[in-house]
Amino acid sequence: MNIKKILSDFGSWIFAGLTFLGFIIIYAGIGARGRYKATGETNFYFIAVGIVLILPYLIYMLKTTILFNKAEDEESKRIADLIRTGDKVIVNLDNLEIHCNSYKQEIEVGGGYNARNEYIDVNHNVILIDVQYNNDSIKYKLNIDMDTTKLKMHFAIKKETELYVDSTNPNNNYLDLRFLES
């Protein structure tokens, strides 16, 4: 077993427990004493201790949100730079392989006496594209969750799309599949 993973999981549980405890302490500090008892006086010391216990969680959530937004902005900037300055290669969508794995998955909905099984469609399409660029081959493997018939219709209508490649680093590239979003 990996000691680092065990300690990380243990730390996550402690983190979640302290956050939950902070909410309980704030609830008690506000004066909520139960369903059938009248509310008590507000205890600001309890509220302060609860806020101190919740504060690391709030900082963690803020940090995660900032890092996620920064990564999205950097990716958008990278794609915009590639579209503006990269080499444009036309990709024929008729020459690609689509491997389909579509099935129905049974899930249980509801609970107790209202539990029932429903079937949902799961569409797992793997698209393999091989593009020639400067006597080199750029291979793409895309996983797209879309009905196979719809996917083939999108490709038949569009017929071709663009691949933007950085001339100094062919591994830095962007395949324009925005037409699948509509």
Side-chain angles (χ1 to χ4, degrees):
M1 295 184 97
N2 189 354
I3 299 294
K4 191 174 183 180
K5 172 116 173 77
I6 292 171
L7 291 176
S8 174
D9 289 344
F10 184 67
S12 298
W13 281 105
I14 289 176
F15 187 65
L18 287 176
T19 303
F20 180 72
L21 184 64
F23 280 114
I24 297 295
I25 290 174
I26 288 175
Y27 183 70
I30 290 173
R33 298 288 184 244
R35 185 172 187 180
Y36 298 107
K37 294 186 179 181
T39 58
E41 294 180 14
T42 303
N43 188 339
F44 292 107
Y45 294 114
F46 265 48
I47 293 174
V49 169
I51 289 173
V52 167
L53 289 176
I54 292 175
L55 200 57
Y57 174 74
L58 296 176
I59 292 170
Y60 172 76
M61 290 302 294
L62 182 65
K63 179 182 171 188
T64 303
T65 303
I66 289 171
L67 289 176
F68 182 73
N69 289 340
K70 183 179 176 185
E72 278 186 341
D73 291 343
E74 287 176 358
E75 182 66 13
S76 297
K77 184 180 179 298
R78 182 189 74 84
I79 290 171
D81 287 344
L82 272 175
I83 290 173
R84 188 173 33 84
T85 62
D87 294 338
K88 183 177 177 181
V89 179
I90 301 297
V91 177
N92 187 357
L93 295 174
D94 293 330
N95 300 334
L96 52 86
E97 298 177 48
I98 301 175
H99 298 282
C100 306
N101 186 12
S102 299
Y103 56 92
K104 289 193 179 282
Q105 182 176 2
E106 183 178 9
I107 61 169
E108 185 174 331
V109 178
Y113 293 115
N114 295 327
R116 66 185 184 284
N117 292 339
E118 289 186 1
Y119 294 94
I120 59 169
D121 293 324
V122 177
N123 299 304
H124 182 76
N125 300 309
V126 177
I127 299 172
L128 301 173
I129 302 173
D130 190 11
V131 179
Q132 296 299 321
Y133 175 72
N134 288 347
N135 297 328
D136 220 7
S137 179
I138 299 175
K139 296 183 188 280
Y140 264 92
K141 180 179 178 182
L142 302 167
N143 295 314
I144 297 178
D145 181 21
M146 182 184 283
D147 183 40
T148 308
T149 307
K150 270 186 175 178
L151 183 65
K152 289 179 181 178
M153 285 175 36
H154 277 293
F155 286 160
I157 291 170
K158 182 71 172 169
K159 295 187 182 175
E160 60 186 28
T161 189
E162 296 85 20
L163 172 71
Y164 299 97
V165 182
D166 186 0
S167 58
T168 59
N169 181 10
N171 291 328
N172 182 16
N173 50 48
Y174 169 68
L175 182 64
D176 188 8
L177 293 176
R178 291 178 288 188
F179 63 92
L180 292 177
E181 295 171 2
S182 59

